[in-house]
Amino acid sequence: KLAQLIGVCALVSILFSGALDTRTEHVQNVIKSGFVLATLGVLITAFLVGLFVFYRLHFTLIESLLIGSIISSTDAAAVFMILRSRKSHLKKDLQSVIEVESVSNDPLAVILTFVFIDLSLKPHLSFIDISFFFLKQLLIGLAFGWVLGKTIPRIISKASLEYEGLYPVLTVAFMFFTYALTSLMGGSGFLAVYLAGLRTAHIDFPYKETIGKFHDGLTWLMQITMFLVLGLLVFPSQLIGVFWSDLSIAFFLILIARPLSVFASLMFSRFTVREKLMISWVGFRGAVPIILSIFPLMAGLENAPAIFNLVFFIVLTSVLIQGTLTPWMAQWLKAKRKE
């Protein structure tokens, strides 16, 4: 329960900070491609990985699609850290579309995860029930996120706080208020937080730069805390027994599911084959999938411990292999920015 509470706080912070980092004026040329990757790309990845897990392991189809949903989104913090390093600077539009995708694909992965957890607990749910739940989460989340996203900058602008350092604290309070209120109303609190951050990022208000830097630091602290807490829940001895099966799923995600989702999503874009391959490679998994893997544990699903271990292994494999080889892949695919 403690890990889930910390995980929710971390996920809220990651989504809000990622949204604050999105500047549409800097990514006008790729905003459409980025959001197609964040929606259609997530759906295709979740479906393909789910089917592979179903045929490869002992999970049911619903549990397999749940696993696919959990690991369907890329990690914004890992993407920003690696791509903005001196060795991995990519061409401007290429780097922008990857960053837009990474900060905007978490909400759909979260909603899909909750849908399949519900289906696992209530297998009698009809397609109408699922559609209603999905639309309710989506519409209420969008509505509250939009309204509160316009309200936050106005309150900050009118507030007369004695110390500048209190303004970032005020935004943290609004961040959690947005999540809590939307969740109580039956919507996706995570989606609302992301949209509120997106709206806030595109309105000018006092201390905006200070607040953005504060949330960048807070997100790193949250991710470090999350990996420490989640590491305490992992038993290496349990990973050794399923090493080869877990490794096959990780490679399927990296080499097949991710490239297919990218090429399908960007079918009508102006990106070249080499650039699409680079986008496919930079699909790092990070803290968000591991946080989401706690929810099946808390829901009491029978195979939840195995799901948690599998997701943790896939994330580690993704970071180690994709993160390490990204500078070399950028060089080989001629995707690096000319200095």
Side-chain angles (χ1 to χ4, degrees):
K1 289 182 179 180
L2 177 61
Q4 186 190 37
L5 176 62
I6 295 173
V8 168
C9 293
L11 191 50
V12 168
S13 177
I14 290 167
L15 288 169
F16 190 76
S17 177
L20 285 179
D21 274 333
T22 306
R23 299 285 187 270
T24 52
E25 63 269 21
H26 295 162
V27 293
Q28 289 290 348
N29 296 332
V30 298
I31 197 79
K32 182 179 177 181
S33 297
F35 280 109
V36 171
L37 281 170
T39 50
L40 181 61
V42 166
L43 289 170
I44 294 173
T45 301
F47 179 74
L48 291 176
V49 173
L51 287 181
F52 185 78
V53 171
F54 177 67
Y55 286 108
R56 183 76 176 82
L57 301 179
H58 60 277
F59 296 105
T60 66
L61 180 59
I62 297 301
E63 289 173 337
S64 300
L65 291 171
L66 171 60
I67 292 169
S69 301
I70 289 172
I71 61 172
S72 60
S73 66
T74 57
D75 185 67
V79 166
F80 275 66
M81 179 186 71
I82 293 173
L83 292 190
R84 293 183 179 183
S85 68
R86 189 177 301 174
K87 294 181 180 179
S88 304
H89 255 75
L90 303 182
K91 296 174 183 177
K92 186 177 180 182
D93 284 354
L94 188 58
Q95 182 155 327
S96 294
V97 75
I98 294 170
E99 291 180 354
V100 169
E101 177 205 8
S102 69
V103 299
S104 57
N105 61 10
D106 292 330
L108 182 56
V110 172
I111 293 176
L112 286 174
T113 298
F114 288 144
V115 166
F116 285 113
I117 288 176
D118 255 24
L119 274 175
S120 298
L121 295 173
K122 306 168 188 173
H124 60 277
L125 285 176
S126 66
F127 178 76
I128 295 175
D129 294 328
I130 298 168
S131 300
F132 178 75
F133 174 79
F134 189 87
L135 286 174
K136 183 183 176 185
Q137 289 272 308
L138 193 66
L139 295 176
I140 295 177
L142 288 172
F144 277 83
W146 184 266
V147 172
L148 290 170
K150 293 187 72 174
T151 305
I152 292 171
R154 291 179 181 176
I155 293 178
I156 293 174
S157 297
K158 292 181 180 180
S160 299
L161 302 179
E162 190 171 349
Y163 300 103
E164 182 180 340
L166 289 175
Y167 286 92
V169 178
L170 181 61
T171 59
V172 172
F174 275 123
M175 181 177 76
F176 287 113
F177 174 76
T178 300
Y179 171 80
L181 181 62
T182 309
S183 298
L184 285 172
M185 294 296 107
S188 171
F190 297 113
L191 177 60
V193 165
Y194 176 74
L195 187 58
L198 206 59
R199 290 290 300 156
T200 300
H202 300 111
I203 299 175
D204 289 326
F205 55 90
Y207 310 113
K208 184 176 179 179
E209 187 176 349
T210 300
I211 289 171
K213 290 179 179 178
F214 172 83
H215 279 280
D216 277 344
L218 180 63
T219 294
W220 278 105
L221 176 62
M222 286 291 191
Q223 291 208 96
I224 291 168
T225 305
M226 236 9 271
F227 273 107
L228 176 62
V229 171
L230 294 171
L232 295 172
L233 299 178
V234 175
F235 297 90
S237 58
Q238 295 176 359
L239 297 177
I240 294 172
V242 291
F243 176 82
W244 292 112
S245 58
D246 289 0
L247 191 65
S248 68
I249 296 168
F251 276 105
F252 177 83
L253 169 65
I254 295 170
L255 300 176
I256 299 176
R258 170 67 178 175
L260 284 176
S261 69
V262 169
F263 274 80
S265 300
L266 301 180
M267 188 182 302
F268 302 108
S269 72
R270 55 183 175 73
F271 289 104
T272 66
V273 172
R274 284 177 178 270
E275 289 172 336
K276 289 174 185 176
L277 286 172
M278 192 65 224
I279 294 170
S280 300
W281 185 259
V282 188
F284 314 125
R285 268 58 192 174
V288 172
I290 304 178
I291 294 169
L292 291 179
S293 66
I294 295 177
F295 289 94
L297 283 169
M298 295 304 300
L301 298 189
E302 184 181 353
N303 287 318
I307 292 173
F308 180 84
N309 288 331
L310 173 60
V311 171
F312 196 91
F313 184 88
I314 290 172
V315 169
L316 287 181
T317 305
S318 172
V319 172
L320 287 172
I321 295 178
Q322 290 174 282
T324 303
L325 296 179
T326 290
W328 179 82
M329 288 293 289
Q331 189 77 37
W332 183 57
L333 294 171
K334 299 178 181 178
K336 291 188 73 171
R337 186 185 307 175
K338 293 180 181 179
E339 302 296 341

